[in-house]
Amino acid sequence: MKKIVILISGRGSNMEAVVRACARDGWPARICAIISNRPDAAGLGFAAANGIESKVVDHRQFDGRESFDAALAGEIDRFEPDLVVLAGFMRVLTDAFVTKYAGRMLNIHPSLLPCFPGLRTHQQALDAGVRVHGASVHFVTPALDHGPIVAQGAVPVIAGDDAAALAARVLKVEHEIYPRAVRWFIEGRLTVEGERVALTPSEPQWLFADVAGEGA
Ligand code: GAR
């Protein structure tokens, strides 16, 4: 049984998608804990309602990134996880923290990396005029929103979209690709070769959104 700790900062819908898929599909894994850096994160309610241990490590209680990350690592390590899943965890992490969990920490970012790292990715996509946008699951490396890509989901940018409409379309594919990617990790099927992630046995590491009826 592999152990997973999930880090959130807010709504937690990706965390929920992973938790539900783990239970529904009988993964050989257990979600040991949900850790939030914000006491008001809505996702903490889901954790409580589903009997998952949760913990808040409030970044505002610390005087710097190093001390916060050290406290966070202390909480994570209590659960001895095989995998740390960042699910809308909105903190820039120190190199020391990232290095500690190298090869066993995944993140989901709401863009087709390497396009649009950072914040406001949907507005960035609209401003750049791209016609295809999406989300990426990647191993976390010290460079922000960078690292070997495990899976990507693509959606069209539809005439009249604003950032909220685009975000909602992307979020649907996030909820598909993140549970898949986490399951692949749990099943020991991912190998990192430089910037590339091989999946064995292979299956599509991409997903194109089904947007029938959305005017695409
Ligand atoms: C998601 O869209 C996720 O991709 C993004 O925040 C949202 C969290 O939603 N993450 C980042 O921007 C990380 N840089 P959720 O709390 O409902 O999963």
Side-chain angles (χ1 to χ4, degrees):
M1 213 43 145
K2 293 273 169 57
K3 290 181 276 187
I4 302 173
V5 167
I6 306 181
L7 307 190
I8 63 169
S9 295
R11 181 177 53 189
S13 70
N14 277 291
M15 172 266 295
E16 221 177 295
V18 169
V19 169
R20 288 190 197 284
C22 180
R24 183 191 61 221
D25 300 336
W27 295 354
R30 194 165 69 81
I31 314 298
C32 300
I34 309 296
I35 302 178
S36 172
N37 66 307
R38 304 192 73 98
D40 58 351
L44 292 169
F46 176 85
N50 287 272
I52 303 170
E53 186 167 346
S54 67
K55 178 81 195 171
V56 173
V57 184
D58 187 341
H59 63 278
R60 292 167 304 185
Q61 311 286 327
F62 297 85
D63 56 13
R65 292 196 189 280
E66 284 74 18
S67 55
F68 169 73
D69 281 7
L72 182 61
E75 288 301 331
I76 292 171
D77 290 348
R78 286 204 298 125
F79 301 95
E80 300 179 337
D82 299 283
L83 176 65
V84 176
V85 171
L86 307 184
F89 188 65
M90 306 304 281
R91 294 284 306 171
V92 174
L93 298 163
T94 56
D95 288 5
F97 183 93
V98 171
T99 303
K100 179 174 168 57
Y101 298 104
R104 55 188 180 112
M105 183 157 64
L106 293 174
N107 181 45
I108 189 157
H109 181 76
S111 79
L112 293 175
L113 291 172
C115 286
F116 314 134
L119 298 174
R120 301 175 62 252
T121 56
H122 309 300
Q123 192 59 51
Q124 288 190 61
L126 291 172
D127 292 347
V130 297
R131 309 317 308 176
V132 178
H133 182 44
S136 308
V137 178
H138 64 98
F139 281 98
V140 179
T141 57
L144 182 66
D145 298 329
H146 187 271
I149 292 169
V150 179
Q152 290 187 306
V155 308
V157 178
I158 297 175
D161 272 349
D162 59 12
L166 195 49
R169 194 173 307 119
V170 170
L171 194 63
K172 279 193 200 162
V173 297
E174 293 188 40
H175 295 165
E176 297 289 329
I177 63 173
Y178 213 3
R180 278 185 209 184
V182 172
R183 179 171 55 81
W184 293 335
F185 182 95
I186 291 303
E187 292 171 346
R189 293 171 59 190
L190 300 177
T191 322
V192 180
E193 297 157 1
E195 285 296 310
R196 296 185 186 206
V197 179
L199 173 64
T200 316
S202 104
E203 63 181 275
Q205 286 168 263
W206 41 261
L207 179 79
F208 294 102
D210 177 7
V211 290
E214 273 200 75

